[in-house]
Amino acid sequence: MVMVGAGGASAAGVGQPAEWQFGFQGAVTPVMERVTGFHNFLLWIITGVVALVTVLLLIVMVRFNRRSNPTPSKTTHNTLVEVVWTVVPVLILLAIAIPSFRLLYFERVVPEAEMTVKATGNQWYWSYEYPDQEDLSFDAILLEGDALQERRKIDPGAPRLLATDNPIVVPVDTTVRLIVTASDVIHSWAIPSFGIKIDAIPGRLNEAWFRANKIGTYYGQCSELCGQGHAYMPIDVRVVSREDFDAWQQQAESEGVEEANKMLFSRLNDGNGNQVAAAE
C-alpha cells in the first residue's frame, strides 16, 4: 500500500480546483493529456502572433509618426507584403486545424470498452447504471450540512458542493464507455481532469469514453444551465484499483451501494485524510 497524499490526487490541483491554481486541472486520461498538449501548442502560437504584432506596431509608431516621417509615402500596394500577410495566416490556421481535427477524432471515436456506465441527468442530481455489473444502479445527490459532516468521518477529504452520497466507482487503467442522457431538461456531464464535457439530452443517448490512469478522486459539475439547482448537481468519480473495484461491486450487489461505499472509503482512507492506494 502507498500513500497518495492528503485528499488524494485533488491536493495537487488534480481532480478538483486548487487555491490560486493557474491553468487546467491535471490530466489523468489520454484525452485530457492531448487537450493540454494542444492548449500549450496554441499558447506558443498566440504568444508569437502577439509578439510580432506588438513589434510591428512599435516600429510604425517610432518610424512613421509625424515628427520622424513628415512626408508620408503614397504607396497604394505592395505585392510581396500582400502575399505574405495572406499566406502566413493560412499556414498558421492549417497548423492549428490539423492537430485540432486529430484531437476531435480521438475524442469522438470510442475504443473497445471494458465496461459501460450510463449517466442520466435529472433536476438536480445524477443517476448511474452499470449494465455490465448486474444492472447495478443508484442516484448521486449532493452532500450538504449534517450529511457532509457525517461523510467526512469516513472520507475526510470530501469537499463542500462537490461530494455526493454515492460516487461513481471505476477501476484504474480501464476503458470506460460513458452513455449520457437526461430525463427532463438538458444537462452536461463534465470532469475537467478527464477532458470530458458531453451534453445529456432528453430522448437522446450521447457517448464518450475515458481511461483514467491514476488512482484518485475526481470531481466535476453539471456544465449546462439547467435550472435553479444547476450549481448543486456535482459529479464524484472514484478511480480505484481493480481489487478495490471488485470488492465494491460485490458488496454493492449483496448489501447495497451505501454499505459498499462505507467499505470502499475505509479501504481508501487512513482516517487522516490521506488516500491509500493499492500498490501496483
Side-chain angles (χ1 to χ4, degrees):
M1 305 290 276
V2 296
M3 292 292 183
V4 174
S10 59
V14 180
Q16 65 173 293
E19 292 187 5
W20 298 102
Q21 181 176 350
F22 183 78
F24 292 146
Q25 293 183 26
V28 297
T29 65
V31 170
M32 189 57 193
E33 288 170 354
R34 295 191 181 207
V35 169
T36 302
F38 184 59
H39 167 268
N40 294 338
F41 170 66
L42 290 181
L43 189 60
W44 281 109
I45 292 179
I46 292 170
T47 302
V49 170
V50 170
L52 175 63
V53 171
T54 302
V55 169
L56 293 176
L57 284 174
L58 290 174
I59 291 174
V60 169
M61 291 168 63
V62 172
R63 293 190 56 185
F64 300 102
N65 61 54
R66 179 179 295 179
R67 183 183 303 170
S68 303
N69 187 38
T71 307
S73 170
K74 296 184 179 179
T75 303
T76 58
H77 69 277
N78 183 301
T79 303
L80 176 61
V81 172
E82 291 175 0
V83 169
V84 169
W85 78 37
T86 301
V87 172
V88 170
V90 169
L91 294 177
I92 293 174
L93 290 176
L94 284 175
I96 293 174
I98 293 173
S100 173
F101 290 141
R102 286 178 176 170
L103 176 58
L104 287 173
Y105 182 80
F106 185 72
E107 288 178 322
R108 295 307 305 156
V109 178
V110 180
E112 185 175 353
E114 297 166 75
M115 65 177 292
T116 300
V117 176
K118 180 182 178 183
T120 303
N122 313 284
Q123 288 181 315
W124 288 273
Y125 62 94
W126 292 94
S127 299
Y128 296 103
E129 299 174 44
Y130 289 66
D132 301 330
Q133 278 72 33
E134 303 293 337
D135 289 330
L136 178 66
S137 63
F138 54 84
D139 295 331
I141 299 172
L142 173 69
L143 286 175
E144 298 179 280
D146 293 341
L148 179 60
Q149 297 306 318
E150 191 66 26
R151 166 60 61 80
R152 285 174 174 168
K153 293 179 181 178
I154 56 174
D155 182 21
R160 177 176 174 269
L161 296 181
L162 289 176
T164 64
D165 58 348
N166 296 314
I168 314 170
V169 182
V170 296
V172 69
D173 291 329
T174 300
T175 301
V176 179
R177 177 171 56 232
L178 179 70
I179 300 173
V180 180
T181 187
S183 64
D184 37 43
V185 299
I186 298 177
H187 303 275
S188 184
W189 200 94
I191 294 282
S193 285
F194 289 1
I196 288 183
K197 179 182 180 298
I198 183 166
D199 285 348
I201 301 173
R204 177 173 174 175
L205 294 176
N206 283 337
E207 193 176 56
W209 69 281
F210 62 87
R211 183 183 178 87
N213 53 30
K214 291 181 181 176
I215 290 173
T217 304
Y218 305 97
Y219 294 105
Q221 293 176 302
C222 176
S223 297
E224 183 70 39
L225 187 60
C226 58
Q228 64 177 7
H230 162 67
Y232 306 105
M233 47 184 303
I235 301 161
D236 183 346
V237 180
R238 308 296 169 112
V239 178
V240 301
S241 66
R242 171 58 71 175
E243 177 187 14
D244 286 334
F245 176 78
D246 290 340
W248 175 83
Q249 178 190 342
Q250 292 173 7
Q251 188 89 355
E253 291 173 358
S254 60
E255 300 185 32
V257 173
E258 186 175 345
E259 292 302 318
N261 290 337
K262 290 179 182 178
M263 178 276 299
L264 180 68
F265 294 140
S266 68
R267 292 170 66 103
L268 297 181
N269 296 285
D270 65 356
N272 296 314
N274 296 313
Q275 188 168 3
V276 181
E280 297 180 359

